Amino acid sequence: MPLVWGLASPKIGEREAIASLLSADTDRQLVGSGDVILGDEGFAGQEFEAFLREELGAHLIRPDRKDEPARFGNLARVRQWIESVIDTAKGQLALEQHGGRILAGVYARVAARLLALAAAIWHNWQIGAPVKRSLIAYDH
């Protein structure tokens, strides 16, 4: 379930984009002390891990790179959940085919689709649907 999202230039790194999103959360509503952030190998870096630990009090868990000592392993099951959310965003929500022509339109269309996903997941939990993240029942 996405908790925060943003659009960033592909010219900046994912660590910088995430750090910017999390820095904007001054009330610490999203990530707080003791929370765990799951990421991929792209989040490797002493500065980024120090930011999460010292500024937010959060712990980063990511797959180990080949050139570093083993810490967490490959996290295959957890990574499958993350990839599933990304696949849902790109596939069922067609986020890459948003149709926005200006930046404000892109934001509005992406936000509407993520809100629809969140509403569908919430509704599926409320009715006890066997598959919580499926939007097929709402695809008319």
Side-chain angles (χ1 to χ4, degrees):
M1 180 76 170
L3 297 178
V4 63
W5 67 277
L7 299 175
S9 169
K11 295 178 182 177
I12 66 171
E14 56 188 4
R15 288 187 304 252
E16 290 80 9
I18 294 297
S20 178
L21 280 172
L22 295 176
S23 293
D25 180 32
T26 56
D27 296 335
R28 299 295 176 242
Q29 297 289 320
L30 298 174
V31 177
S33 182
D35 286 349
V36 174
I37 297 176
L38 301 171
D40 64 10
E41 294 94 349
F43 292 106
Q46 290 179 349
E47 280 184 37
F48 183 68
E49 288 192 41
F51 163 74
L52 294 176
R53 185 178 55 253
E54 295 165 13
E55 299 291 323
L56 305 178
H59 306 282
L60 174 66
I61 297 178
R62 61 171 177 75
D64 299 326
R65 292 187 326 208
K66 293 177 184 174
D67 64 342
E68 65 184 1
R71 296 190 316 175
F72 304 113
N74 67 9
L75 305 173
R77 291 186 73 183
V78 174
R79 292 191 68 209
Q80 186 176 13
W81 292 338
I82 295 168
E83 292 300 323
S84 179
V85 170
I86 292 168
D87 185 57
T88 298
K90 289 183 176 180
Q92 283 186 320
L93 300 180
L95 290 185
E96 292 180 330
Q97 290 82 35
H98 49 72
R101 299 190 187 278
I102 62 172
L103 189 56
V106 175
Y107 272 111
R109 290 166 186 246
V110 170
R113 291 174 183 179
L114 290 174
L115 181 58
L117 173 63
I121 292 170
W122 175 84
H123 186 260
N124 286 343
W125 274 98
Q126 296 302 310
I127 65 172
V131 180
K132 308 299 187 223
R133 280 196 4 257
S134 177
L135 298 178
I136 293 172
Y138 313 105
D139 189 14
H140 300 304

